[in-house]
């Protein structure tokens, strides 16, 4: 089955800096890669996703890049703010017909004012 | 859109007791997923349903765990008998329609503590 590795496990940045979280996956058949943000005590919420026919996608301060050859994808957050502090999860899905996701272990991002 | 609704939000019970967690997916969503989240193991997929039919329950840890989806708007996850190692946050999620690559929408979770 699919295996998703996520690094780093914790990331501390100063407000205004950029943050990058990286994930690798094992199954070359995976073709959908969402990112979820989970604030303390809250539910995971989808913040951005990318499909395998696209190499990069941006939404304001957030961007995701995908390298299918190397089987890795990354989340980039620019101009970080304290409210960006949360745990971020990457995930991968293959065309199974049922949208099942395999999640990485998560990255705790701390943005200091 | 009320979102995915889970109940209870918190459950504290003694080991050996039966625990039932409930989930109401977003109206019109076809697929429903149950997850368990712990610090050590992260988010683990336990079981998922498509059109109320269980598709894959290989993530269910033991026979003590069972899940049902009697209709399109309701699912339960039951643990009997419960054990302290079952303590975790249990999430339910649903997706809009059949097919792959649909975003999953999560409920607020049930924080379960088994004493």
């Amino acid at each position: 089955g699919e295996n998703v590795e996520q690094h780093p496990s914790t990331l501390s940045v100063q407000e205004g800096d950029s943050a990058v979280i990286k994930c690798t996956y094992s199954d070359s058949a995976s073709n959908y890669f969402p990112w979820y943000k989970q604030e303390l005590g809250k539910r995971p919420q989808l913040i951005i996703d990318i499909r395998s026919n696209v190499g990069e996608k941006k939404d304001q301060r957030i961007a995701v890049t995908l390298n299918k050859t190397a089987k890795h994808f990354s989340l980039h957050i620019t101009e970080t703010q304290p409210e960006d502090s949360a745990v971020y999860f990457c995930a991968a899905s293959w065309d199974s017909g049922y949208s099942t996701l395999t999640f990485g272990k998560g990255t705790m991002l701390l943005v200091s004012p | 859109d009320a979102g995915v609704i889970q109940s209870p939000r918190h459950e504290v019970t003694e080991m050996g007791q039966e625990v039932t967690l409930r989930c109401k997916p977003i109206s019109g969503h076809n697929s429903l997923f149950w997850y368990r989240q712990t610090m050590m193991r992260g988010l683990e997929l336990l079981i998922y349903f498509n059109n109320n039919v269980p598709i894959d329950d290989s993530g269910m840890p033991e026979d003590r765990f069972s899940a049902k989806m009697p209709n399109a708007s309701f699912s339960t996850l039951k643990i009997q008998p419960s054990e302290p190692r079952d303590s975790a946050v249990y999430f339910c999620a649903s997706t809009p329609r059949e097919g792959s690559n649909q975003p999953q929408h999560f409920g607020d979770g049930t924080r379960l503590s088994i004493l």
Side-chain angles (χ1 to χ4, degrees):
Chain A
E2 176 65 278
N3 183 49
V4 176
E5 300 283 339
Q6 183 171 347
H7 300 280
S9 56
T10 60
L11 179 59
S12 295
V13 300
Q14 291 291 122
E15 182 177 1
D17 288 349
S18 294
V20 180
I21 302 170
K22 299 181 179 181
C23 289
T24 59
Y25 60 98
S26 60
D27 191 343
S28 57
S30 289
N31 57 8
Y32 174 63
F33 307 92
W35 287 86
Y36 285 81
K37 175 184 180 181
Q38 186 178 25
E39 297 176 359
L40 188 64
K42 301 285 183 66
R43 59 189 167 96
Q45 289 191 282
L46 178 72
I47 56 171
I48 194 168
D49 57 13
I50 190 168
R51 289 172 170 78
S52 61
N53 58 342
V54 176
E56 182 176 2
K57 184 177 179 179
K58 287 184 179 179
D59 182 3
Q60 300 182 334
R61 298 185 297 107
I62 293 173
V64 57
T65 58
L66 171 64
N67 183 328
K68 284 225 74 178
T69 303
K71 290 190 284 189
H72 66 70
F73 56 112
S74 301
L75 178 71
H76 304 253
I77 306 174
T78 58
E79 300 172 26
T80 54
Q81 301 167 3
E83 51 264 38
D84 293 330
S85 297
V87 178
Y88 292 80
F89 292 94
C90 63
S93 175
W94 66 103
D95 196 1
S96 67
Y98 297 111
S99 297
T100 50
L101 295 174
T102 300
F103 283 88
K105 286 288 195 287
T107 296
M108 179 176 291
L109 174 64
L110 299 172
V111 181
S112 303
Chain B
D1 182 355
V4 176
I5 299 173
Q6 292 187 245
S7 64
R9 290 296 312 278
H10 304 274
E11 175 90 10
V12 181
T13 192
E14 294 185 347
M15 67 176 292
Q17 297 297 307
E18 178 179 291
V19 173
T20 299
L21 312 181
R22 298 173 176 79
C23 176
K24 176 179 167 52
I26 294 172
S27 178
H29 281 200
N30 291 96
S31 295
L32 183 141
F33 304 80
W34 280 102
Y35 291 90
R36 178 172 67 178
Q37 185 176 39
T38 61
M39 287 294 293
M40 290 298 295
R41 304 168 86 102
L43 267 168
E44 300 175 278
L45 177 63
L46 301 178
I47 184 172
Y48 64 97
F49 296 83
N50 185 250
N51 291 326
N52 313 338
V53 176
I55 302 301
D56 186 351
D57 65 354
S58 60
M60 297 284 261
E62 299 170 37
D63 291 344
R64 299 183 296 105
F65 286 70
S66 63
K68 293 182 180 179
M69 192 164 185
N71 58 62
S73 59
F74 184 65
S75 177
T76 59
L77 177 67
K78 188 173 291 187
I79 309 173
Q80 167 63 19
S82 57
E83 297 183 4
R85 59 196 169 116
D86 302 331
S87 298
V89 181
Y90 290 81
F91 286 102
C92 175
S94 65
T95 56
R97 54 188 177 273
E98 291 183 34
S100 303
N101 304 342
Q102 308 299 324
Q104 293 189 12
H105 300 258
F106 283 77
D108 288 329
T110 295
R111 184 173 296 277
L112 177 63
S113 297
I114 308 296
L115 306 177

